[in-house]
């Protein structure tokens, strides 16, 4: 979206509503990327839930062990109905004594279901465990139980479209953390649980929830220091990346600066971790930035109107690091986000000419990169670079024509690109660019996009 639409507003004769098209596309892309990052976190945390580990009761009761195996399989499928039947069988059998694992597996089944009342049902299971634990302390929830509950809350937020409802569900995560603190005893929140609560809050995307995520980070750091630097309380790359991602989903003006601060902090801590450790580091316990960390930082940079140079510097850093760690080789998503930073440039913060040069240099890198091809999102951003950064006139038309021709040849001309061309260029020039292969038409709309132009483009 142009941050200074006055640059080309005078030439716009195409309906103004097309700016909304551009905005919705960018929001959707940002949401898709953010959800992909958060989904990775959910999956990583779930891997840490070792439901196959057997507690003492399992080892002495073959029937319970068999029931747990069934519950685990039902949980993976989110089959809460059958899981509830199994739990009822266990509770009704006087010869079998359910354990924490039994109820945790019931939580697991609800956590993976798409039922609209899943969070409420998990709360019911949780409350039942607390009630039973009054007379039987062995049924008191453990950290694995809490993590399962939080993962269920996180998934449920994804299944809801209404923002207010998302916010209400996220409050369950915050309340759960407070409840755990009050319970005391052996059940103490660790860095993973703090991070899971932060993940839930970060999915809301408001400045208020970002501030709450920041507060949780500071609280965790304080707990870590007060504990004498107990390893289980040390913020990890998951924790930092979640906070960066929260800023990227918000409308906070400080997002870019804060993201770069957090990235630098991560890198400094990781260097110290490497120096202090004589053994190989557990990747889950370090603050080494991951690919998703860098993607989240780039998202934050797109919130600024002068971050083109910062985005370029970040790409160069990634390329340098990737010489030793190929997993951090910039992907097309990274390059596209950097071009987005260029497209949003405002002369008050950074030179538009310099930003345009950076964007076109990134395109050349994409074209030279083995196995990488510019996609419709690349061209969408490049056209906005042309329209926002270059002054109206022959040069802008010439550069725009070359970009659009590339998109045509690559089959990446999607409807949003058609709309951008109409809204960003003089109507006569736009029609001239788009009427190829179309006869007896004075104008060209996205509905008439030749299949050869859009054969490889994914609909946004």
């Amino acid at each position: 979206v142009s941050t200074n639409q006055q640059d080309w507003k005078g030439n716009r004769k195409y309906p103004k509503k097309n700016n909304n098209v551009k905005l919705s596309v960018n929001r959707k892309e940002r949401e898709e990327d953010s959800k992909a990052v958060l989904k990775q976190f959910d999956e990583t945390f779930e891997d840490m839930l070792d439901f196959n580990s057997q507690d003492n009761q399992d080892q002495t009761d073959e029937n319970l062990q068999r029931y747990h195996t069934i519950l685990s399989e039902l949980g993976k499928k989110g089959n809460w109905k059958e899981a509830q039947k199994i739990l009822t069988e266990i509770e009704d059998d006087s010869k079998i004594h359910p354990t924490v694992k039994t109820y945790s597996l019931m939580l697991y089944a609800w956590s993976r279901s798409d039922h609209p009342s899943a969070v409420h049902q998990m709360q019911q299971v949780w409350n039942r465990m607390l009630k039973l634990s009054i007379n039987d302390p062995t049924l008191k929830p453990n950290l694995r139980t809490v993590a399962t509950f939080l993962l269920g809350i996180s998934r449920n937020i994804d299944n809801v479209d209404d923002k207010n409802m998302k916010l209400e569900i996220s409050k369950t995560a915050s309340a759960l953390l407070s409840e755990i603190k009050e319970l005391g005893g052996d059940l103490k929140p660790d860095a993973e649980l703090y991070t899971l609560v932060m993940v839930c809050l970060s999915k809301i995307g408001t400045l208020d929830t970002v501030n709450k995520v920041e507060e949780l980070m500071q609280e965790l750091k304080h707990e870590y220091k007060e504990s004498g630097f107990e390893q289980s309380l040390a913020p990890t790359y998951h924790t930092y990346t979640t906070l960066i991602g929260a800023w990227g989903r918000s409308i906070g003006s400080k997002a870019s600066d804060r993201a770069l601060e957090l990235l630098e902090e991560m890198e400094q801590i990781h260097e110290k971790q490497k120096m202090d450790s004589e053994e190989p580091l557990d990747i889950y316990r370090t603050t080494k930035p991951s690919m998703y960390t860098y993607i989240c930082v780039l998202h934050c940079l797109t919130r600024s109107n002068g971050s083109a140079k910062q985005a370029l510097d970040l790409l160069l850093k990634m390329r340098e690091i990737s010489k030793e760690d190929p997993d951090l080789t910039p992907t097309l998503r990274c390059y596209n986000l950097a071009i987005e930073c260029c497209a949003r440039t405002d002369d008050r913060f950074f030179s538009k000419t310099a930003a345009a040069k950076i964007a076109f240099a990134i395109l050349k890198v994409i074209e030279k990169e083995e196995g990488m091809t510019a996609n419709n999102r690349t061209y969408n951003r490049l056209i906005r670079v042309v329209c926002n950064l270059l002054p109206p006139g022959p040069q802008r038309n010439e550069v725009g024509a070359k970009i659009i021709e590339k998109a045509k040849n690559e089959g990446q001309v999607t409807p949003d690109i058609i709309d951008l061309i109409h809204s960003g260029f003089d109507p006569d020039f736009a029609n001239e660019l788009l009427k190829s292969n179309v006869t007896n038409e004075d104008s060209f709309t996205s509905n008439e996009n030749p299949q050869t132009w859009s054969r490889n483009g994914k609909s946004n």
Side-chain angles (χ1 to χ4, degrees), residues 149-394:
F149 196 171
L150 288 170
L151 279 169
I153 294 172
S154 176
R155 285 200 186 92
N156 209 259
I157 292 173
D158 289 335
N159 295 334
V160 174
D161 293 325
D162 184 76
K163 203 155 194 174
N164 291 327
M165 192 172 292
K166 284 178 180 284
L167 183 59
E168 287 303 310
I169 295 172
S170 72
K171 290 178 181 178
T172 308
S174 299
L176 184 60
L177 182 61
S178 299
E179 190 173 0
I180 295 168
K181 294 173 186 174
E182 291 177 6
L183 287 172
D186 296 332
L187 189 59
K188 296 179 180 178
D190 59 7
E192 288 175 13
L193 293 191
Y194 268 96
T195 304
L196 279 169
V197 176
M198 291 166 67
V199 167
C200 293
L201 293 174
S202 71
K203 293 184 176 184
I204 309 305
T206 65
L207 191 55
D208 183 51
T209 53
V210 171
N211 290 331
K212 289 180 180 177
V213 176
E214 282 278 7
E215 288 172 8
L216 286 174
M217 172 63 99
Q218 298 309 315
E219 185 178 310
L220 178 58
K221 288 180 178 180
H222 176 75
E223 293 293 329
Y224 176 50
K225 184 177 180 180
E226 289 295 306
S227 70
F229 303 102
E230 184 180 328
Q231 191 60 36
S232 65
L233 288 168
T236 66
Y237 80 97
H238 273 136
T239 319
Y240 278 95
T241 304
T242 299
L243 177 52
I244 295 171
W247 276 107
R249 290 170 66 90
S250 76
I251 57 173
S253 59
K254 299 190 301 182
S256 58
D257 290 340
R258 183 61 178 141
L260 292 172
E261 287 175 6
L262 290 166
L263 178 61
E264 184 178 2
E265 187 176 321
M266 290 176 73
E267 292 168 337
Q268 290 175 349
I269 294 174
H270 181 56
E271 285 302 315
K272 188 176 186 305
Q273 289 172 333
K274 289 194 296 183
M275 291 176 60
D276 294 345
S277 179
E278 297 179 356
E279 299 178 359
L281 294 169
D282 178 358
I283 185 62
Y284 291 114
R285 291 293 181 186
T286 70
T287 61
K288 178 186 177 184
S290 68
M291 173 59 73
Y292 291 100
T293 308
Y294 288 107
I295 288 174
C296 287
V297 173
L298 284 165
H299 270 296
C300 289
L301 292 179
T302 65
R303 295 297 195 182
S304 168
N305 293 335
S307 61
K309 178 63 165 58
Q310 292 168 313
L312 175 62
D313 290 343
L314 192 60
L315 288 179
L316 293 174
K317 176 190 284 188
M318 291 178 71
R319 288 175 67 88
E320 186 63 30
I321 295 173
S322 68
K323 293 177 182 178
E324 296 183 1
D325 186 353
D327 288 342
L328 293 180
T329 303
T331 62
L332 181 60
R333 187 190 300 181
C334 296
Y335 289 123
N336 283 348
L337 286 170
I339 296 174
E340 174 75 18
C341 292
C342 297
R344 290 173 177 265
T345 299
D346 188 314
D347 262 334
R348 292 173 297 170
F349 306 100
F350 189 72
S351 164
K352 286 188 173 184
T353 302
K357 290 180 179 178
I358 290 173
F360 297 135
I362 291 173
L363 175 61
K364 289 183 179 179
V365 173
I366 293 173
E367 292 174 335
K368 291 180 180 179
E369 201 73 37
E370 186 177 353
M372 188 177 291
T373 306
N375 62 13
N376 60 303
R377 293 181 173 183
T378 313
Y379 290 113
N380 176 298
R381 289 167 164 89
L382 286 169
I383 292 169
R384 287 192 291 114
V385 165
V386 173
C387 295
N388 185 38
L389 306 186
L390 303 184

Side-chain angles (χ1 to χ4, degrees), residues 2-33:
S2 171
T3 55
N4 190 357
Q5 295 179 0
Q6 194 62 41
D7 285 351
W8 45 274
K9 188 175 180 181
N11 289 328
R12 184 195 291 125
K13 297 180 182 178
Y14 197 69
K16 208 170 181 179
K17 63 183 177 64
N18 284 284
N19 281 329
N20 294 329
V21 173
K22 292 182 285 182
L23 185 61
S24 63
V25 168
N26 293 328
R27 281 178 176 168
K28 185 173 181 179
E29 289 180 21
R30 188 164 58 247
E31 286 298 308
E32 287 174 358
D33 283 342

